[in-house]
Amino acid sequence: HLQVQTLLRERLCHQQLPQRPEGVDSQHKHLMELLKRTAVHGESNSVLIIGPRGTGKTQLLRCVLAELLAEEDVDKTLLQVHLNGLLQTDDRIALKEITRQLSLENVVGDQVFGSFAENLAFLLEALKKGDRSSSRPVLFILDEFDLFAHHKNQTLLYNLLDVSQSAQTPVAVVGLTCRLDVLELLEKRVKSRFSHRQIHLLPSLSFSQYLQAVQAQLHLPDTTFPDTTFCYDWNASLKVDKSVEAVLLRHFNSTKDFRSLHRLLMAILCRVSVNNPTIKPADLLDASRLLSADAMTNVLHGLSILELCLVIAMKHLNDIYDGEPFNLQMVYNEFKRFLQRKSNSLYNFELPVVMKAFEHLQQLEVVRPVDAAAAVAARAQREYQLVRLMLDHSQIMEALQKYPQCPTDVKQWAASAFG
Amino acid sequence: MARYLTRNRLRRIYKWGGFPVSHDRKLKTDEYDSLHISLEDLPRTTVITNGQYILIEGVDDDHPYVAKVTKLIESDKKKKALVQWFARVGEVPPNKLKLLGREPHPQEIFYYEGPTCEDEIDVESILNTVQVHQSTLSYWMEVLYVKLSWNTKVFKVVTPEQIETATAAAPRLVPTPGRLRPALPPSPPCSPALAATPRSRAPSRRCVCCHLSVSRLHVSSVPESLPCREQEFQDIYNFVESKVMDGTGGCMYISGVPGTGKTATVHEVIRSLQRASDADDVPAFNFIEINGMKMTDPHQAYVQILQKLTGQKATPDHAAALLEKRFSHAGPKKESTVLLVDELDLLWTRKQNVMYNLFDWPTRRHGRLVVLTIANTMDLPERIMINRVASRLGLTRMSFQPYSFKQLQQIIMSRLNKVKAFEEDALQLVSRKVAALSGDARRCLDICRRATEICEHTSLDPGAPGLVGMSHVMQALDEMFSSAYVTAIRCASVQEQLFLRSVLMEFRRLGLEEATFQQVLVQHQALCRVEGLQPPSVSEALAACQRLGACRLLLLEPSRLGVLQRVRLNVSQDDVLYALKAE
């Protein structure tokens, strides 16, 4: 059973590349042709791969690259530079990274020498000297392409795209982004140099294809798995019955991409153990419930009664004042009105205690100050700073239903219309 | 033929020698036995007869094509010749050169018997005769020798009979049926001399080589002289030439939207001037080029100019001082300097020192600096320059207009240069579309290149792709002009689509274009109940909202505001309705 774990975890977590991702044949072919033209024929190109998060852009690129590098002469001559907009937040850093990855002459060990200006001039010279016939093609992969468009003057993008449009070293610039409006971010000069080739990756699976994909993901390979009986039993247990289908349909309705599917399947996989060697529909149900639970409701379950009462008081204030911000004093007054009605001395806390509870709520971000900067600056009179409640009423009510040993008068107070 | 004499063209005059030897009544052609070629104003005449080896004009002036004349004919008042082609070493793909088994001699040629190109050529493309010896070891400059034959796949020893029979080969004016479409050997991936051999126009034929047209249509293969920019070329040429010949300095400002050929035209001017200075018509000069976008800081301009002028490296301040000294003082035997400043607007600093200096140095008497600046906006001097800088820039301005559709058509036709690869209306469609939008030549070339690629991949017969037609062009336009919003909405999950619908409903209810997430959530949960779906939890709805915001179908405030963040649509409401309705 351990092997099951390793095999499936590899597949789900480490994003082992499938032979060819399903449903994206035309995009695969397009990208493959384009990269081949650069790597083999020395023709410069630029392309953007656009698609929502988790739809497999990076996976597609890696598949195509793996297939391309399988050819020996491409493997020997193609140079690759991988950049990420989240890591290289500035053109300066990006340039250092390019220089390091290409092992240009101003790199010693892992350190890059020279100022930003020198690095840029050096890189441009190096690229300019090359030409179609004699230099190795370079593949620039820019992940989170839209972040590069926010750099100053878009110099890096301009220069890379300019090289791809001049008779210099053959380069291919591949950008990956999830923004559909990425072209509007480019400056007009940069946009003119970009070849406007776009590959769109949009999830277009139907539900039945999705079900098949789920089964395929959990399927153990018959041929290579050592324990064949176990494998056979496992695969046999992957039948889709009504409850499983309902759960998966709910998940499919929520989001179609594969990353969240993997998260769900991981949750199921974690329940597999020696005592529990197969997957049951109940596992799927539990996992689904775990993932789709509301985050804030769980937070509310951990609050003390006093804090819960404060939250309910804030809810009533929101109802009365139609969402206007309030401060601690107002909440405390509202709370005191509840206490007066109940004439119950159990919750008769002093203001400092209430303020402590209030601060705890602020730390948990159940309430947030309206003006964060002023909140930090003004140290005095904290009880008069305006805050807002960050919860929706449905979340509060749901939390109250499942709150362990919630006093009934608190529940009634929450439900009542008059506070 | 351009009337602008500054362009390098030699005129050759072609004349038949004597009277026609025979007349073919069916094909209405006359056969001659010799051709006289003379250069304009020169007494020398070259005579070409049947059986002679000739050099034919190709793209690369140093490596003209080699062929042997088999017949000289005139048809429809056009002088033509039928030839047997020979391939140079450079025309064989390097991976096939290995089959040779030895290092090829640079003057070696191969008897070409692969799927051939047109055997009929225009006599106007013949340059000169050449001597070809069969398998002798002469190392003379003007001699080429042939030993093997090449049929695009394999080398074979050529027999003397083949060479002789080439002379007597029957003319083929009409293609024999079933013959393979004439196609060039696949262009060697690394050969710089890629070009089609000149073909005669045969309207019923479909001559296409997709590799060739793709490489020619690439933006990087800038032609020697840009079509449709003759007037601009002449003006800039006159300006720079007059300044260089007088030994004075001057400034010129060139503007135009991206992709209109500004930098390319200036480069062409400089090339012509350099040729002229090689021929001693014009004094020698230095050419330096800097680009505002290729610098990290405007002050680096000084560093780069100094480095390119003198090879010295210095800090920006020191470089500025050195350049100031250089342009202020008379130096012995100083050459003029022509400086091209691309993307001028990026050299702007608050005090505008860099621009001031760049325009001030030409005004010095001993500076001899001619500055050509390029930018995108016509009113840049008025908008961002202070008065003294703008006045030093002067009024010598030139504006490059965006290309019209006729010009774009002409550009593509000249790039393809007699390779008939596009259908007429396909070409018209592309030109019109791009001209209507931006008039950007780069865009046009990219679309044509993509259309050619599509044609190549979708053709049923990989060897003969046929012409690029309307369908290919439409597909390319679709890909490159598309905005995927509608498709993205259609491909979104059910909850995401419901969320979009609730956004629309909330906007209608409020009468505004903006709503908070909490308000939209109310609508969303109501809509779920109507559709019979389980309403999502707040976290799930937030996640769906974030996903829509990540692709910019919605515009969101920062997510730290949680349920209180405001939501706006980035797509028009009609588009959303259209996308959702088509379900």
Side-chain angles (χ1 to χ4, degrees):
Chain A
H1 113 276
L2 200 59
Q3 291 137 338
V4 176
Q5 288 275 357
T6 34
L7 186 79
L8 289 179
R9 272 175 205 247
E10 260 265 337
R11 200 187 280 169
L12 297 176
C13 281
H14 291 213
Q15 297 184 320
Q16 200 183 37
L17 294 179
Q19 275 296 72
R20 193 174 263 229
E22 325 84 55
V24 290
D25 278 336
S26 64
Q27 288 101 329
H28 184 103
K29 194 164 154 237
H30 187 175
L31 188 60
M32 185 73 189
E33 278 305 320
L34 203 128
L35 291 185
K36 238 197 209 150
R37 276 174 188 272
T38 306
V40 176
H41 302 299
E43 195 184 296
S44 295
N45 262 316
S46 50
V47 68
L48 271 181
I49 306 179
I50 307 178
R53 291 216 182 277
T55 42
K57 305 182 285 293
T58 318
Q59 194 189 53
L60 174 69
L61 183 62
R62 280 166 59 203
C63 268
V64 170
L65 264 185
E67 206 176 306
L68 194 65
L69 292 175
E71 291 177 41
E72 213 190 290
D73 40 346
V74 174
D75 191 20
K76 288 216 189 94
T77 57
L78 184 68
L79 293 165
Q80 296 177 47
V81 176
H82 292 256
L83 298 175
N84 191 314
L86 292 169
L87 296 173
Q88 281 91 38
T89 49
D90 189 3
D91 278 341
R92 198 176 294 258
I93 306 171
L95 213 45
K96 278 212 158 89
E97 187 60 26
I98 296 176
T99 317
R100 192 184 66 83
Q101 287 192 21
L102 285 178
S103 307
L104 293 180
E105 276 138 33
N106 52 347
V107 178
V108 176
D110 232 3
Q111 246 211 324
V112 178
F113 292 96
S115 72
F116 182 25
E118 286 169 20
N119 283 343
L120 180 61
F122 198 73
L123 176 68
L124 290 177
E125 263 313 303
L127 287 174
K128 195 160 151 190
K129 279 210 196 96
D131 67 10
R132 228 177 134 124
S133 50
S134 61
S135 37
R136 299 170 68 174
V138 188
L139 173 63
F140 286 96
I141 299 176
L142 278 69
D143 236 325
E144 316 292 345
F145 185 81
D146 45 297
L147 294 178
F148 284 102
H150 290 307
H151 293 178
K152 178 169 176 251
N153 287 343
Q154 300 183 352
T155 41
L156 182 69
L157 288 183
Y158 177 91
N159 284 309
L160 287 181
L161 292 175
D162 196 48
V163 174
S164 84
Q165 298 237 306
S166 330
Q168 296 172 15
T169 313
V171 300
V173 182
V174 180
L176 293 102
T177 178
C178 67
R179 283 181 70 154
L180 295 168
D181 64 342
V182 62
L183 284 181
E184 291 166 29
L185 294 173
L186 296 179
E187 215 215 326
K188 59 179 180 312
R189 288 177 275 230
V190 180
K191 197 169 167 191
S192 166
R193 282 167 172 76
F194 172 57
S195 76
H196 282 91
R197 279 162 208 250
Q198 300 166 47
I199 299 179
H200 288 284
L201 274 183
L202 295 167
S204 52
L205 297 177
S206 70
F207 184 54
S208 51
Q209 289 168 325
Y210 190 76
L211 282 179
Q212 281 174 356
V214 173
Q215 286 190 304
Q217 294 281 331
L218 287 175
H219 191 93
L220 290 177
D222 307 319
T223 44
T224 56
F225 200 74
D227 189 354
T228 40
T229 44
F230 182 81
C231 178
Y232 185 70
D233 290 333
W234 176 276
N235 288 340
S237 72
L238 289 180
K239 294 271 174 309
V240 175
D241 64 358
K242 283 284 168 204
S243 62
V244 168
E245 198 177 312
V247 171
L248 286 176
L249 182 64
R250 185 163 191 275
H251 198 88
F252 179 72
N253 282 343
S254 174
T255 167
K256 281 187 189 178
D257 67 73
F258 276 95
R259 201 172 277 165
S260 42
L261 175 63
H262 285 186
R263 222 181 295 148
L264 179 67
L265 295 179
M266 263 310 281
I268 301 172
L269 193 62
C270 293
R271 288 156 197 276
V272 173
S273 66
V274 183
N275 301 334
N276 192 12
T278 51
I279 306 183
K280 297 186 208 51
D283 287 339
L284 181 59
L285 250 131
D286 283 338
S288 167
R289 208 172 292 143
L290 183 72
L291 285 181
S292 61
D294 190 62
M296 274 312 217
T297 319
N298 290 336
V299 169
L300 288 176
H301 286 168
L303 295 180
S304 67
I305 302 279
L306 173 60
E307 285 152 0
L308 197 59
C309 290
L310 288 180
V311 168
I312 298 171
M314 288 190 254
K315 169 179 172 291
H316 285 302
L317 280 178
N318 267 339
D319 287 334
I320 299 169
Y321 296 111
D322 210 20
E324 288 289 322
F326 40 74
N327 58 29
L328 173 62
Q329 199 60 47
M330 289 162 70
V331 178
Y332 187 47
N333 292 341
E334 186 68 27
F335 182 47
K336 277 203 292 214
R337 277 177 47 203
F338 162 65
L339 291 179
Q340 276 165 9
R341 277 209 317 267
K342 291 294 151 179
S343 67
N344 197 338
S345 59
L346 197 59
Y347 308 125
N348 215 341
F349 296 110
E350 293 297 325
L351 185 60
V353 182
V354 175
M355 202 155 101
K356 200 75 197 315
F358 198 69
E359 273 171 26
H360 188 221
L361 286 177
Q362 261 190 314
Q363 273 173 4
L364 290 171
E365 294 225 345
V366 172
V367 292
R368 280 181 104 246
V370 171
D371 188 359
V376 171
R379 227 96 36 98
Q381 300 189 317
R382 291 257 289 278
E383 58 261 34
Y384 293 111
Q385 276 166 17
L386 290 176
V387 297
R388 276 210 153 96
L389 180 64
M390 302 299 290
L391 298 174
D392 192 52
H393 293 187
S394 57
Q395 287 171 306
I396 304 173
M397 301 313 290
E398 197 187 320
L400 276 175
Q401 278 178 358
K402 301 205 193 103
Y403 193 86
Q405 293 153 355
C406 184
T408 40
D409 42 1
V410 170
K411 267 199 197 162
Q412 281 172 350
W413 176 38
S416 79
F418 295 102
Chain B
M1 195 75 90
R3 285 181 291 111
Y4 297 104
L5 301 169
T6 49
R7 293 207 174 161
N8 230 354
R9 276 180 220 256
L10 283 173
R11 276 203 59 203
R12 280 187 281 275
I13 306 175
Y14 298 85
K15 272 203 292 253
W16 294 121
F19 289 104
V21 164
S22 68
H23 178 78
D24 186 334
R25 234 176 338 152
K26 199 162 85 172
L27 298 162
K28 302 241 175 44
T29 59
D30 293 315
E31 190 178 336
Y32 290 88
D33 66 1
S34 67
L35 174 72
H36 293 256
I37 309 178
S38 53
L39 285 165
E40 204 177 343
D41 303 334
L42 287 176
R44 187 174 52 157
T45 306
T46 316
V47 179
I48 298 188
T49 53
N50 276 346
Q52 273 198 311
Y53 292 91
I54 50 173
L55 291 171
I56 294 174
E57 186 180 296
V59 163
D60 189 347
D61 280 336
D62 295 324
H63 298 282
Y65 298 110
V66 184
K68 177 172 168 172
V69 178
T70 54
K71 208 164 178 180
L72 293 164
I73 52 171
E74 170 161 346
S75 81
D76 298 333
K77 302 261 192 285
K78 286 202 270 252
K79 301 189 178 65
K80 298 199 194 296
L82 293 173
V83 299
Q84 163 62 46
W85 292 104
F86 285 81
R88 274 188 182 262
V89 169
E91 288 170 308
V92 177
N95 49 341
K96 301 284 172 123
L97 268 181
K98 288 188 281 207
L99 293 171
L100 205 47
R102 57 170 168 86
E103 214 27 66
H105 191 275
Q107 258 131 268
E108 183 172 3
I109 56 174
F110 306 103
Y111 181 89
Y112 189 64
E113 45 179 21
T116 59
C117 344
E118 273 293 1
D119 284 355
E120 192 180 283
I121 56 153
D122 219 349
V123 131
E124 312 254 317
S125 56
I126 299 180
L127 291 172
N128 215 334
T129 56
V130 73
Q131 288 224 38
V132 175
H133 287 263
Q134 195 187 352
S135 57
T136 58
L137 299 170
S138 258
Y139 293 96
W140 211 16
M141 274 302 284
E142 287 290 298
V143 178
L144 300 163
Y145 73 98
V146 62
K147 195 167 164 186
L148 304 169
S149 73
W150 166 244
N151 69 349
T152 74
K153 289 189 175 54
V154 96
F155 289 99
K156 281 191 295 215
V157 176
V158 72
T159 60
E161 293 85 47
Q162 270 179 308
I163 304 282
E164 292 318 304
T165 49
T167 324
R172 269 174 296 142
L173 288 178
V174 176
T176 50
R179 184 71 197 246
L180 197 58
R181 277 276 73 77
L184 266 195
S187 63
C190 299
S191 159
L194 299 163
T197 47
R199 298 160 194 269
S200 51
R201 283 284 176 130
S204 60
R205 311 268 184 92
R206 285 143 55 111
C207 304
V208 156
C209 176
C210 275
H211 286 275
L212 174 73
S213 29
V214 164
S215 66
R216 280 220 189 138
L217 286 173
H218 200 279
V219 180
S220 61
S221 40
V222 183
E224 251 303 306
S225 64
L226 270 72
C228 315
R229 287 294 180 220
E230 286 87 7
Q231 185 58 45
E232 288 87 352
F233 171 87
Q234 199 58 48
D235 292 340
I236 302 177
Y237 187 90
N238 289 341
F239 174 77
V240 183
E241 189 192 24
S242 63
K243 296 291 184 204
V244 168
M245 300 219 352
D246 293 341
T248 53
C251 263
M252 187 180 204
Y253 177 69
I254 301 168
S255 65
V257 289
T260 40
K262 307 179 287 293
T263 313
T265 308
V266 173
H267 282 156
E268 196 192 333
V269 167
I270 298 295
R271 270 201 303 272
S272 299
L273 274 176
Q274 276 171 343
R275 272 202 292 260
S277 85
D278 285 341
D280 280 333
D281 292 332
V282 150
F285 63 94
N286 257 341
F287 173 61
I288 310 172
E289 183 179 357
I290 63 172
N291 187 316
M293 271 282 209
K294 297 190 179 171
M295 287 191 274
T296 56
D297 179 66
H299 298 284
Q300 288 294 322
Y302 299 132
V303 176
Q304 288 200 6
I305 297 175
L306 185 70
Q307 191 168 7
K308 291 184 186 178
L309 261 184
T310 62
Q312 275 178 289
K313 282 198 198 178
T315 62
D317 295 327
H318 191 204
L322 285 173
L323 286 171
E324 175 76 35
K325 212 165 49 155
R326 185 192 167 95
F327 290 123
S328 318
H329 302 308
K333 276 200 282 190
K334 220 164 85 160
E335 290 184 330
S336 293
T337 314
V338 178
L339 171 67
L340 170 63
V341 184
D342 232 331
E343 322 290 5
L344 176 69
D345 47 316
L346 287 159
L347 290 181
W348 183 90
T349 53
R350 214 159 57 81
K351 289 204 235 160
Q352 302 186 11
N353 280 338
V354 181
M355 287 201 293
Y356 177 81
N357 280 327
L358 279 180
F359 303 143
D360 194 42
W361 286 331
T363 63
R364 308 286 168 83
R365 183 147 30 123
H366 303 292
R368 295 181 164 221
L369 174 67
V370 183
V371 177
L372 300 168
T373 59
I374 299 184
N376 290 126
T377 42
M378 207 154 72
D379 59 349
L380 190 85
E382 282 72 45
R383 241 175 350 107
I384 72 167
M385 291 189 197
I386 50 183
N387 286 337
R388 61 188 178 139
V389 178
S391 92
R392 276 167 179 79
L393 174 58
L395 296 170
T396 325
R397 309 217 184 148
M398 158 145 282
S399 175
F400 276 59
Q401 296 303 315
Y403 288 114
S404 71
F405 92 88
K406 279 212 170 66
Q407 292 174 321
L408 284 173
Q409 225 171 333
Q410 202 181 334
I411 290 173
I412 300 184
M413 296 297 287
S414 79
R415 281 273 183 126
L416 290 175
N417 197 16
K418 298 183 205 159
V419 174
K420 195 161 185 331
F422 275 79
E423 273 176 25
E424 278 304 315
D425 32 356
L427 199 50
Q428 276 230 354
L429 175 64
V430 179
S431 327
R432 277 181 199 266
K433 184 110 191 196
V434 177
L437 268 172
S438 55
D440 186 341
R442 287 191 187 109
R443 202 77 192 267
C444 195
L445 290 168
D446 276 324
I447 297 174
C448 292
R449 190 158 64 97
R450 177 77 191 130
T452 319
E453 281 171 26
I454 293 176
C455 172
E456 197 180 335
H457 295 320
T458 57
S459 68
L460 301 163
D461 176 11
L467 292 178
V468 177
M470 285 291 276
S471 61
H472 308 125
V473 165
M474 298 276 287
Q475 195 182 338
L477 282 173
D478 214 18
E479 272 182 23
M480 297 170 91
F481 276 96
S482 71
S483 163
Y485 288 119
V486 172
T487 336
I489 297 177
R490 291 222 184 107
C491 293
S493 71
V494 172
Q495 291 288 348
E496 287 162 12
Q497 286 176 344
L498 282 179
F499 193 83
L500 280 173
R501 213 175 271 172
S502 2
V503 166
L504 286 180
M505 279 165 56
E506 187 61 20
F507 283 3
R508 206 178 308 149
R509 184 186 79 91
L510 290 174
L512 298 172
E513 295 291 317
E514 191 179 83
T516 65
F517 174 78
Q518 227 170 355
Q519 291 166 320
V520 178
L521 186 62
V522 169
Q523 297 281 358
H524 186 107
Q525 286 172 336
L527 203 55
C528 278
R529 272 179 234 118
V530 166
E531 299 274 328
L533 292 168
Q534 192 186 358
S537 64
V538 176
S539 300
E540 278 185 324
L542 257 179
C545 183
Q546 284 303 318
R547 274 192 300 270
L548 290 170
C551 356
R552 297 297 187 279
L553 284 168
L554 292 177
L555 294 172
L556 303 175
E557 284 193 313
S559 60
R560 69 183 137 85
L561 297 169
V563 293
L564 301 176
Q565 65 189 309
R566 282 177 290 192
V567 174
R568 274 230 207 94
L569 269 183
N570 199 18
V571 198
S572 80
Q573 296 200 11
D574 299 322
D575 284 344
V576 177
L577 285 171
Y578 170 71
L580 292 175
K581 182 176 53 151
E583 296 294 324

